[in-house]
Amino acid sequence: KREGKLGGGVRRTCDSLWRGRRAASGAAHCVTMSAAEVEVDEISKKLFELLDSFPRMHDRCVAPLAEGRRGALVLRGAVRMLSTVVAVSDASKAQESKDRFKVLLSRAKWTPQESLLEDLGGCGGTKGLKERIESMDVDREYVVVVVGELGPDELYCVHDCLRGVPSVPDIGPWLYVLDHGAERSRSRPGFSYAALKPFRVAPD
Protein backbone atom coordinates (compact mmCIF):
# COMPACT_ATOMS: atom_id res chain seq x y z
CA LYS A 1 0.00 0.00 0.00
CA ARG A 2 1.00 3.62 -0.34
CA GLU A 3 0.16 6.31 2.13
CA GLY A 4 0.26 10.06 1.72
CA LYS A 5 0.28 12.26 -1.33
CA LEU A 6 2.97 12.31 -3.96
CA GLY A 7 3.71 15.98 -3.34
CA GLY A 8 7.11 17.19 -2.22
CA GLY A 9 8.27 16.30 1.24
CA VAL A 10 5.44 13.89 2.07
CA ARG A 11 6.58 10.38 2.90
CA ARG A 12 5.23 7.55 0.77
CA THR A 13 5.18 4.07 2.22
CA CYS A 14 5.30 0.84 0.29
CA ASP A 15 4.17 -2.25 2.14
CA SER A 16 3.96 -5.85 0.90
CA LEU A 17 5.12 -4.88 -2.59
CA TRP A 18 8.49 -6.52 -2.32
CA ARG A 19 8.72 -10.25 -1.96
CA GLY A 20 11.26 -11.82 0.32
CA ARG A 21 14.67 -11.70 -1.34
CA ARG A 22 15.81 -14.94 -2.93
CA ALA A 23 19.36 -16.15 -2.51
CA ALA A 24 21.48 -14.09 -4.86
CA SER A 25 24.79 -15.85 -4.83
CA GLY A 26 25.66 -18.54 -7.32
CA ALA A 27 28.40 -19.55 -4.93
CA ALA A 28 26.25 -21.31 -2.37
CA HIS A 29 27.38 -24.68 -3.70
CA CYS A 30 31.09 -23.85 -3.54
CA VAL A 31 33.23 -25.45 -0.87
CA THR A 32 36.07 -22.96 -1.25
CA MET A 33 36.21 -19.61 -3.01
CA SER A 34 39.09 -17.52 -4.25
CA ALA A 35 39.56 -13.95 -3.06
CA ALA A 36 38.44 -12.72 -6.49
CA GLU A 37 35.24 -14.77 -6.31
CA VAL A 38 34.49 -13.39 -2.85
CA GLU A 39 34.96 -9.88 -4.23
CA VAL A 40 32.55 -10.55 -7.10
CA ASP A 41 30.06 -11.87 -4.54
CA GLU A 42 30.34 -8.68 -2.49
CA ILE A 43 30.04 -6.42 -5.54
CA SER A 44 27.00 -8.35 -6.73
CA LYS A 45 25.26 -8.19 -3.37
CA LYS A 46 25.71 -4.43 -3.29
CA LEU A 47 24.36 -4.08 -6.83
CA PHE A 48 21.34 -6.31 -6.19
CA GLU A 49 20.41 -4.37 -3.07
CA LEU A 50 20.73 -1.09 -4.96
CA LEU A 51 18.61 -2.32 -7.87
CA ASP A 52 16.03 -3.70 -5.46
CA SER A 53 15.62 -0.23 -3.95
CA PHE A 54 14.52 1.17 -7.33
CA PRO A 55 11.19 -0.62 -7.97
CA ARG A 56 10.68 1.01 -11.38
CA MET A 57 13.93 -0.40 -12.79
CA HIS A 58 12.02 -3.27 -14.34
CA ASP A 59 9.37 -1.44 -16.35
CA ARG A 60 11.44 1.67 -17.11
CA CYS A 61 14.77 0.11 -18.03
CA VAL A 62 14.78 -3.68 -18.37
CA ALA A 63 11.38 -4.50 -19.90
CA PRO A 64 11.98 -2.32 -22.99
CA LEU A 65 15.15 -4.30 -23.66
CA ALA A 66 13.57 -7.70 -23.04
CA GLU A 67 10.39 -7.05 -25.06
CA GLY A 68 8.60 -9.85 -23.20
CA ARG A 69 11.32 -12.42 -23.84
CA ARG A 70 13.08 -14.47 -21.18
CA GLY A 71 16.70 -13.67 -20.52
CA ALA A 72 18.88 -11.65 -18.19
CA LEU A 73 20.61 -8.32 -17.82
CA VAL A 74 24.30 -9.23 -17.83
CA LEU A 75 27.07 -7.05 -16.45
CA ARG A 76 30.40 -8.58 -17.42
CA GLY A 77 33.96 -7.40 -17.01
CA ALA A 78 37.10 -7.32 -14.92
CA VAL A 79 36.51 -7.14 -11.19
CA ARG A 80 37.79 -3.55 -11.03
CA MET A 81 35.36 -2.48 -13.74
CA LEU A 82 32.44 -4.17 -11.97
CA SER A 83 33.38 -2.45 -8.74
CA THR A 84 33.60 0.95 -10.45
CA VAL A 85 30.22 0.63 -12.16
CA VAL A 86 28.51 -0.31 -8.90
CA ALA A 87 30.33 2.41 -6.96
CA VAL A 88 29.30 5.09 -9.48
CA SER A 89 25.69 3.91 -9.42
CA ASP A 90 25.69 3.86 -5.64
CA ALA A 91 27.22 7.33 -5.32
CA SER A 92 24.87 8.95 -7.82
CA LYS A 93 22.25 11.30 -6.42
CA ALA A 94 19.83 10.72 -9.32
CA GLN A 95 16.46 9.45 -8.12
CA GLU A 96 14.93 8.15 -11.37
CA SER A 97 15.94 4.68 -12.51
CA LYS A 98 17.27 5.56 -15.98
CA ASP A 99 19.43 8.35 -14.61
CA ARG A 100 20.66 6.45 -11.57
CA PHE A 101 21.76 3.42 -13.60
CA LYS A 102 22.94 5.21 -16.76
CA VAL A 103 26.49 3.87 -16.40
CA LEU A 104 25.31 0.37 -15.55
CA LEU A 105 22.97 0.25 -18.56
CA SER A 106 25.74 1.45 -20.86
CA ARG A 107 27.96 -1.42 -19.71
CA ALA A 108 25.38 -4.18 -19.31
CA LYS A 109 23.77 -6.22 -22.06
CA TRP A 110 20.37 -7.87 -22.10
CA THR A 111 20.91 -11.44 -23.28
CA PRO A 112 18.11 -13.81 -24.34
CA GLN A 113 17.79 -17.12 -22.53
CA GLU A 114 18.70 -19.26 -25.52
CA SER A 115 22.18 -17.75 -25.85
CA LEU A 116 22.92 -16.81 -22.24
CA LEU A 117 24.18 -20.16 -20.98
CA GLU A 118 26.16 -20.64 -24.16
CA ASP A 119 27.84 -17.28 -23.56
CA LEU A 120 28.62 -18.38 -20.00
CA GLY A 121 30.04 -21.76 -20.96
CA GLY A 122 32.59 -22.86 -18.36
CA CYS A 123 31.63 -20.03 -16.01
CA GLY A 124 31.44 -20.83 -12.31
CA GLY A 125 28.31 -19.93 -10.37
CA THR A 126 25.72 -20.69 -13.07
CA LYS A 127 23.95 -23.34 -11.00
CA GLY A 128 20.24 -22.49 -10.79
CA LEU A 129 20.42 -19.72 -13.39
CA LYS A 130 18.42 -21.59 -16.04
CA GLU A 131 15.69 -22.44 -13.52
CA ARG A 132 15.66 -18.85 -12.22
CA ILE A 133 15.06 -17.44 -15.69
CA GLU A 134 12.38 -20.02 -16.53
CA SER A 135 10.45 -19.45 -13.30
CA MET A 136 10.45 -15.65 -13.22
CA ASP A 137 7.33 -13.60 -13.93
CA VAL A 138 8.41 -11.68 -17.04
CA ASP A 139 5.73 -9.05 -16.41
CA ARG A 140 7.13 -8.11 -13.00
CA GLU A 141 10.54 -9.70 -12.52
CA TYR A 142 13.97 -9.63 -14.13
CA VAL A 143 17.19 -11.59 -13.69
CA VAL A 144 20.55 -9.88 -13.30
CA VAL A 145 23.85 -11.72 -13.81
CA VAL A 146 27.17 -10.23 -12.72
CA VAL A 147 30.08 -11.95 -14.47
CA GLY A 148 33.61 -11.40 -13.24
CA GLU A 149 36.52 -12.00 -15.61
CA LEU A 150 39.05 -13.38 -13.16
CA GLY A 151 41.75 -14.38 -15.60
CA PRO A 152 42.36 -15.96 -18.99
CA ASP A 153 39.33 -18.16 -19.70
CA GLU A 154 38.26 -17.93 -16.05
CA LEU A 155 34.78 -16.58 -15.35
CA TYR A 156 32.67 -16.47 -12.20
CA CYS A 157 29.10 -15.20 -11.94
CA VAL A 158 26.48 -14.32 -9.37
CA HIS A 159 22.80 -13.99 -10.26
CA ASP A 160 19.54 -12.89 -8.69
CA CYS A 161 15.91 -12.31 -9.61
CA LEU A 162 14.51 -8.88 -8.74
CA ARG A 163 10.93 -7.68 -8.72
CA GLY A 164 9.52 -4.46 -10.11
CA VAL A 165 6.62 -2.48 -8.67
CA PRO A 166 5.11 -0.28 -11.42
CA SER A 167 2.46 1.20 -9.12
CA VAL A 168 4.89 3.39 -7.16
CA PRO A 169 6.63 6.61 -8.25
CA ASP A 170 9.93 6.30 -10.11
CA ILE A 171 11.95 7.75 -7.29
CA GLY A 172 14.55 6.05 -5.19
CA PRO A 173 16.13 4.58 -3.32
CA TRP A 174 13.25 3.09 -1.33
CA LEU A 175 14.69 2.03 2.01
CA TYR A 176 13.61 -0.18 4.91
CA VAL A 177 12.57 1.58 8.08
CA LEU A 178 14.47 0.64 11.25
CA ASP A 179 14.46 1.66 14.89
CA HIS A 180 10.87 2.92 14.93
CA GLY A 181 11.49 5.15 11.94
CA ALA A 182 14.75 6.64 13.13
CA GLU A 183 16.99 4.72 10.71
CA ARG A 184 16.91 3.59 7.08
CA SER A 185 18.55 0.57 5.47
CA ARG A 186 18.85 -0.74 1.92
CA SER A 187 19.19 -4.31 3.24
CA ARG A 188 16.07 -6.02 4.45
CA PRO A 189 16.26 -6.64 8.21
CA GLY A 190 16.23 -10.27 9.20
CA PHE A 191 13.05 -10.21 11.23
CA SER A 192 9.28 -10.45 10.93
CA TYR A 193 6.42 -11.12 13.28
CA ALA A 194 3.51 -13.18 11.96
CA ALA A 195 2.08 -11.16 9.07
CA LEU A 196 4.06 -8.07 10.03
CA LYS A 197 7.17 -7.48 7.94
CA PRO A 198 9.55 -4.58 7.44
CA PHE A 199 8.42 -2.08 4.80
CA ARG A 200 10.13 0.49 2.66
CA VAL A 201 9.59 4.20 2.29
CA ALA A 202 10.41 6.48 -0.62
CA PRO A 203 12.85 9.36 -0.21
CA ASP A 204 11.38 12.36 1.58
Side-chain angles (χ1 to χ4, degrees):
K1 65 182 180 180
R2 284 165 46 203
E3 298 176 354
K5 299 179 180 179
L6 301 184
V10 179
R11 179 186 300 172
R12 278 85 62 179
T13 65
C14 180
D15 191 10
S16 301
L17 292 177
W18 276 264
R19 290 180 176 175
R21 293 295 307 282
R22 282 177 260 186
S25 175
H29 63 289
C30 296
V31 176
T32 59
M33 295 174 62
S34 68
E37 289 173 337
V38 171
E39 189 172 0
V40 174
D41 261 14
E42 292 173 348
I43 293 169
S44 301
K45 179 181 178 182
K46 187 173 183 178
L47 175 61
F48 297 152
E49 289 181 344
L50 182 60
L51 289 170
D52 203 35
S53 67
F54 283 78
R56 299 300 300 276
M57 180 67 178
H58 174 259
D59 69 290
R60 291 291 177 90
C61 303
V62 180
L65 300 175
E67 298 180 330
R69 298 170 295 170
R70 293 188 180 276
L73 187 67
V74 180
L75 177 64
R76 175 172 173 170
V79 176
R80 179 174 294 182
M81 186 277 280
L82 299 177
S83 179
T84 299
V85 169
V86 175
V88 170
S89 301
D90 187 39
S92 172
K93 301 302 181 183
Q95 292 186 315
E96 293 189 4
S97 302
K98 286 185 178 180
D99 296 330
R100 185 62 171 254
F101 296 104
K102 183 183 297 184
V103 174
L104 169 66
L105 292 169
S106 71
R107 295 282 186 171
K109 176 184 178 182
W110 191 88
T111 307
Q113 178 184 10
E114 51 269 21
S115 58
L116 178 60
L117 294 180
E118 181 179 345
D119 291 347
L120 296 179
C123 178
T126 58
K127 182 177 181 180
L129 177 57
K130 180 175 182 291
E131 293 77 10
R132 176 161 275 164
I133 293 174
E134 291 178 345
S135 64
M136 73 173 175
D137 178 355
V138 294
D139 294 325
R140 286 292 187 91
E141 297 176 324
Y142 63 104
V143 171
V144 180
V145 184
V146 178
V147 185
E149 297 175 348
L150 309 185
D153 301 320
E154 184 180 2
L155 302 175
Y156 174 73
C157 76
V158 184
H159 50 88
D160 198 6
C161 182
L162 304 168
R163 184 173 179 83
V165 185
S167 60
V168 300
D170 185 14
I171 182 173
W174 289 68
L175 302 175
Y176 289 105
V177 178
L178 304 178
D179 194 19
H180 303 285
E183 301 290 338
R184 302 285 188 272
S185 172
R186 188 179 298 155
S187 301
R188 177 172 175 168
F191 67 86
S192 63
Y193 180 75
L196 299 177
K197 296 180 180 180
F199 62 90
R200 297 183 189 245
V201 296
D204 291 331

